[in-house]
Amino acid sequence: MSQIQEYQIELLVGDITTLPVDAIVNAANKTLLAGLGGVDLAIHSAAGPGLQTECWTLNGCETGEAKITGGHALPAKHIIHTVGPVYTGAEEEPLLLAECYRNSLNLAKENDLHSIAFPAISAGSYGYPAEEAAQITVKAIDAWQKENPSYDIRVIVVCFDEEMLQVYRQAMGLL
Ligand code: AR6
């Protein structure tokens, strides 16, 4: 008999900046200053200039780590900024990408947050192949949930388009 793995991860398609959750996660760069594109620019544009001012105080962020700010003009209460690895194929990159999810979830728990939405970290301008990134994401979130079974948190992965949704559905064994 084969065992069916059921993940406690919600998939949504759309713009992460519109979600009224406790925290949305930003795929940021190490400076934590507004990026030139992608979800980082979308978040800074929607949150307003107060976000940049708050980010200045944080002294940047290392790859795999995470830092929290207010949500400013966003419907989300907080933004958790994490920095994914730039994809080169190096051995440590899967671990660094998994750390982004783990550290973001740890920060959410430390701040008593109970809903969090992630974009596909590193899978845009940082070049991580979508299928690999999706598998790492699903495993990292699932491992964290298993390590924190009594902490109630809604975990959403936001896919920007239908194509990415199919990649995540595949990674979760839903196809
Ligand atoms: N909502 C949800 N997902 C989005 C949105 C959105 N509004 N916009 C883009 N995506 P990327 P990275 C998806 O490039 O690869 C920045 O300039 C996008 O389609 O945003 O980690 C930073 O400052 C893709 O699937 O993040 C860094 O320098 C995913 O979000 C660099 O880009 C991630 O793409 C980070 O690159």
Side-chain angles (χ1 to χ4, degrees), residues 100-117:
C100 290
Y101 290 91
R102 202 173 69 84
N103 285 323
S104 296
L105 287 161
N106 282 339
L107 204 47
K109 185 179 175 184
E110 279 160 37
N111 286 275
D112 198 28
L113 307 184
H114 294 277
S115 53
I116 185 169

PDB file of all heavy atoms in Angstrom, residues 100-117:
ATOM      1  N   CYS A 100      15.741  30.007   4.149  1.00  0.00           N
ATOM      2  CA  CYS A 100      14.844  31.176   3.986  1.00  0.00           C
ATOM      3  C   CYS A 100      13.462  30.849   4.530  1.00  0.00           C
ATOM      4  O   CYS A 100      12.847  31.666   5.229  1.00  0.00           O
ATOM      5  CB  CYS A 100      14.717  31.547   2.512  1.00  0.00           C
ATOM      6  SG  CYS A 100      16.198  32.242   1.788  1.00  0.00           S
ATOM      7  N   TYR A 101      12.960  29.674   4.194  1.00  0.00           N
ATOM      8  CA  TYR A 101      11.612  29.279   4.646  1.00  0.00           C
ATOM      9  C   TYR A 101      11.622  29.007   6.141  1.00  0.00           C
ATOM     10  O   TYR A 101      10.739  29.443   6.883  1.00  0.00           O
ATOM     11  CB  TYR A 101      11.121  28.058   3.845  1.00  0.00           C
ATOM     12  CG  TYR A 101      10.829  28.436   2.404  1.00  0.00           C
ATOM     13  CD1 TYR A 101      11.791  28.336   1.411  1.00  0.00           C
ATOM     14  CD2 TYR A 101       9.584  28.961   2.064  1.00  0.00           C
ATOM     15  CE1 TYR A 101      11.528  28.734   0.102  1.00  0.00           C
ATOM     16  CE2 TYR A 101       9.310  29.365   0.757  1.00  0.00           C
ATOM     17  CZ  TYR A 101      10.285  29.244  -0.214  1.00  0.00           C
ATOM     18  OH  TYR A 101      10.022  29.652  -1.499  1.00  0.00           O
ATOM     19  N   ARG A 102      12.631  28.276   6.603  1.00  0.00           N
ATOM     20  CA  ARG A 102      12.704  27.917   8.021  1.00  0.00           C
ATOM     21  C   ARG A 102      12.847  29.158   8.910  1.00  0.00           C
ATOM     22  O   ARG A 102      12.113  29.323   9.889  1.00  0.00           O
ATOM     23  CB  ARG A 102      13.900  26.974   8.251  1.00  0.00           C
ATOM     24  CG  ARG A 102      13.793  26.137   9.507  1.00  0.00           C
ATOM     25  CD  ARG A 102      14.929  25.126   9.551  1.00  0.00           C
ATOM     26  NE  ARG A 102      16.214  25.772   9.764  1.00  0.00           N
ATOM     27  CZ  ARG A 102      16.699  26.111  10.955  1.00  0.00           C
ATOM     28  NH1 ARG A 102      16.015  25.850  12.042  1.00  0.00           N
ATOM     29  NH2 ARG A 102      17.864  26.698  11.058  1.00  0.00           N
ATOM     30  N   ASN A 103      13.749  30.050   8.531  1.00  0.00           N
ATOM     31  CA  ASN A 103      13.959  31.252   9.353  1.00  0.00           C
ATOM     32  C   ASN A 103      12.763  32.197   9.296  1.00  0.00           C
ATOM     33  O   ASN A 103      12.443  32.856  10.298  1.00  0.00           O
ATOM     34  CB  ASN A 103      15.243  31.968   8.928  1.00  0.00           C
ATOM     35  CG  ASN A 103      16.470  31.233   9.424  1.00  0.00           C
ATOM     36  OD1 ASN A 103      16.466  30.694  10.527  1.00  0.00           O
ATOM     37  ND2 ASN A 103      17.518  31.180   8.613  1.00  0.00           N
ATOM     38  N   SER A 104      12.082  32.258   8.159  1.00  0.00           N
ATOM     39  CA  SER A 104      10.873  33.099   8.066  1.00  0.00           C
ATOM     40  C   SER A 104       9.779  32.531   8.966  1.00  0.00           C
ATOM     41  O   SER A 104       9.086  33.280   9.672  1.00  0.00           O
ATOM     42  CB  SER A 104      10.371  33.155   6.622  1.00  0.00           C
ATOM     43  OG  SER A 104      11.323  33.781   5.798  1.00  0.00           O
ATOM     44  N   LEU A 105       9.618  31.228   8.965  1.00  0.00           N
ATOM     45  CA  LEU A 105       8.592  30.607   9.825  1.00  0.00           C
ATOM     46  C   LEU A 105       8.965  30.762  11.300  1.00  0.00           C
ATOM     47  O   LEU A 105       8.087  31.026  12.138  1.00  0.00           O
ATOM     48  CB  LEU A 105       8.408  29.138   9.439  1.00  0.00           C
ATOM     49  CG  LEU A 105       7.662  28.942   8.101  1.00  0.00           C
ATOM     50  CD1 LEU A 105       7.911  27.545   7.544  1.00  0.00           C
ATOM     51  CD2 LEU A 105       6.161  29.185   8.263  1.00  0.00           C
ATOM     52  N   ASN A 106      10.241  30.622  11.622  1.00  0.00           N
ATOM     53  CA  ASN A 106      10.671  30.840  13.012  1.00  0.00           C
ATOM     54  C   ASN A 106      10.362  32.262  13.463  1.00  0.00           C
ATOM     55  O   ASN A 106       9.880  32.477  14.582  1.00  0.00           O
ATOM     56  CB  ASN A 106      12.173  30.592  13.156  1.00  0.00           C
ATOM     57  CG  ASN A 106      12.512  29.117  13.210  1.00  0.00           C
ATOM     58  OD1 ASN A 106      11.663  28.291  13.523  1.00  0.00           O
ATOM     59  ND2 ASN A 106      13.760  28.780  12.908  1.00  0.00           N
ATOM     60  N   LEU A 107      10.626  33.217  12.589  1.00  0.00           N
ATOM     61  CA  LEU A 107      10.367  34.621  12.923  1.00  0.00           C
ATOM     62  C   LEU A 107       8.863  34.872  13.092  1.00  0.00           C
ATOM     63  O   LEU A 107       8.444  35.619  13.990  1.00  0.00           O
ATOM     64  CB  LEU A 107      10.944  35.484  11.798  1.00  0.00           C
ATOM     65  CG  LEU A 107      11.333  36.915  12.073  1.00  0.00           C
ATOM     66  CD1 LEU A 107      12.153  37.073  13.326  1.00  0.00           C
ATOM     67  CD2 LEU A 107      12.110  37.461  10.857  1.00  0.00           C
ATOM     68  N   ALA A 108       8.073  34.247  12.256  1.00  0.00           N
ATOM     69  CA  ALA A 108       6.612  34.372  12.393  1.00  0.00           C
ATOM     70  C   ALA A 108       6.176  33.835  13.759  1.00  0.00           C
ATOM     71  O   ALA A 108       5.396  34.481  14.479  1.00  0.00           O
ATOM     72  CB  ALA A 108       5.913  33.609  11.270  1.00  0.00           C
ATOM     73  N   LYS A 109       6.711  32.699  14.141  1.00  0.00           N
ATOM     74  CA  LYS A 109       6.341  32.104  15.433  1.00  0.00           C
ATOM     75  C   LYS A 109       6.798  32.996  16.587  1.00  0.00           C
ATOM     76  O   LYS A 109       6.034  33.252  17.531  1.00  0.00           O
ATOM     77  CB  LYS A 109       6.956  30.701  15.545  1.00  0.00           C
ATOM     78  CG  LYS A 109       6.541  29.966  16.796  1.00  0.00           C
ATOM     79  CD  LYS A 109       7.158  28.570  16.833  1.00  0.00           C
ATOM     80  CE  LYS A 109       6.845  27.869  18.138  1.00  0.00           C
ATOM     81  NZ  LYS A 109       7.505  26.560  18.229  1.00  0.00           N
ATOM     82  N   GLU A 110       8.029  33.485  16.510  1.00  0.00           N
ATOM     83  CA  GLU A 110       8.551  34.366  17.574  1.00  0.00           C
ATOM     84  C   GLU A 110       7.689  35.608  17.760  1.00  0.00           C
ATOM     85  O   GLU A 110       7.610  36.166  18.841  1.00  0.00           O
ATOM     86  CB  GLU A 110       9.973  34.833  17.221  1.00  0.00           C
ATOM     87  CG  GLU A 110      11.063  33.833  17.529  1.00  0.00           C
ATOM     88  CD  GLU A 110      12.334  34.147  16.734  1.00  0.00           C
ATOM     89  OE1 GLU A 110      12.655  35.337  16.535  1.00  0.00           O
ATOM     90  OE2 GLU A 110      12.978  33.188  16.293  1.00  0.00           O
ATOM     91  N   ASN A 111       7.059  36.055  16.663  1.00  0.00           N
ATOM     92  CA  ASN A 111       6.227  37.263  16.708  1.00  0.00           C
ATOM     93  C   ASN A 111       4.738  36.950  16.838  1.00  0.00           C
ATOM     94  O   ASN A 111       3.900  37.823  16.640  1.00  0.00           O
ATOM     95  CB  ASN A 111       6.496  38.118  15.469  1.00  0.00           C
ATOM     96  CG  ASN A 111       7.833  38.834  15.550  1.00  0.00           C
ATOM     97  OD1 ASN A 111       7.933  39.909  16.119  1.00  0.00           O
ATOM     98  ND2 ASN A 111       8.889  38.206  15.029  1.00  0.00           N
ATOM     99  N   ASP A 112       4.440  35.678  17.156  1.00  0.00           N
ATOM    100  CA  ASP A 112       3.058  35.251  17.387  1.00  0.00           C
ATOM    101  C   ASP A 112       2.160  35.522  16.169  1.00  0.00           C
ATOM    102  O   ASP A 112       1.020  35.949  16.315  1.00  0.00           O
ATOM    103  CB  ASP A 112       2.506  35.962  18.645  1.00  0.00           C
ATOM    104  CG  ASP A 112       1.267  35.256  19.177  1.00  0.00           C
ATOM    105  OD1 ASP A 112       1.148  34.042  18.966  1.00  0.00           O
ATOM    106  OD2 ASP A 112       0.409  35.953  19.770  1.00  0.00           O
ATOM    107  N   LEU A 113       2.693  35.267  14.998  1.00  0.00           N
ATOM    108  CA  LEU A 113       1.917  35.454  13.763  1.00  0.00           C
ATOM    109  C   LEU A 113       1.321  34.104  13.357  1.00  0.00           C
ATOM    110  O   LEU A 113       1.961  33.066  13.519  1.00  0.00           O
ATOM    111  CB  LEU A 113       2.817  35.985  12.645  1.00  0.00           C
ATOM    112  CG  LEU A 113       3.622  37.251  12.988  1.00  0.00           C
ATOM    113  CD1 LEU A 113       4.399  37.728  11.773  1.00  0.00           C
ATOM    114  CD2 LEU A 113       2.729  38.356  13.534  1.00  0.00           C
ATOM    115  N   HIS A 114       0.112  34.160  12.803  1.00  0.00           N
ATOM    116  CA  HIS A 114      -0.600  32.910  12.533  1.00  0.00           C
ATOM    117  C   HIS A 114      -1.041  32.729  11.083  1.00  0.00           C
ATOM    118  O   HIS A 114      -1.786  31.801  10.779  1.00  0.00           O
ATOM    119  CB  HIS A 114      -1.771  32.765  13.509  1.00  0.00           C
ATOM    120  CG  HIS A 114      -1.280  32.605  14.919  1.00  0.00           C
ATOM    121  ND1 HIS A 114      -0.887  31.387  15.434  1.00  0.00           N
ATOM    122  CD2 HIS A 114      -1.047  33.520  15.890  1.00  0.00           C
ATOM    123  CE1 HIS A 114      -0.458  31.554  16.675  1.00  0.00           C
ATOM    124  NE2 HIS A 114      -0.537  32.844  16.975  1.00  0.00           N
ATOM    125  N   SER A 115      -0.583  33.619  10.217  1.00  0.00           N
ATOM    126  CA  SER A 115      -0.763  33.371   8.782  1.00  0.00           C
ATOM    127  C   SER A 115       0.402  34.018   8.046  1.00  0.00           C
ATOM    128  O   SER A 115       0.814  35.141   8.368  1.00  0.00           O
ATOM    129  CB  SER A 115      -2.100  33.900   8.264  1.00  0.00           C
ATOM    130  OG  SER A 115      -2.273  35.256   8.593  1.00  0.00           O
ATOM    131  N   ILE A 116       0.935  33.298   7.070  1.00  0.00           N
ATOM    132  CA  ILE A 116       2.128  33.775   6.356  1.00  0.00           C
ATOM    133  C   ILE A 116       2.017  33.360   4.892  1.00  0.00           C
ATOM    134  O   ILE A 116       1.561  32.246   4.595  1.00  0.00           O
ATOM    135  CB  ILE A 116       3.421  33.214   7.008  1.00  0.00           C
ATOM    136  CG1 ILE A 116       4.687  33.791   6.362  1.00  0.00           C
ATOM    137  CG2 ILE A 116       3.464  31.698   6.978  1.00  0.00           C
ATOM    138  CD1 ILE A 116       5.973  33.467   7.138  1.00  0.00           C
ATOM    139  N   ALA A 117       2.386  34.282   4.011  1.00  0.00           N
ATOM    140  CA  ALA A 117       2.344  33.979   2.577  1.00  0.00           C
ATOM    141  C   ALA A 117       3.738  34.167   1.983  1.00  0.00           C
ATOM    142  O   ALA A 117       4.366  35.216   2.170  1.00  0.00           O
ATOM    143  CB  ALA A 117       1.343  34.900   1.877  1.00  0.00           C
TER     144      ALA A 117
END
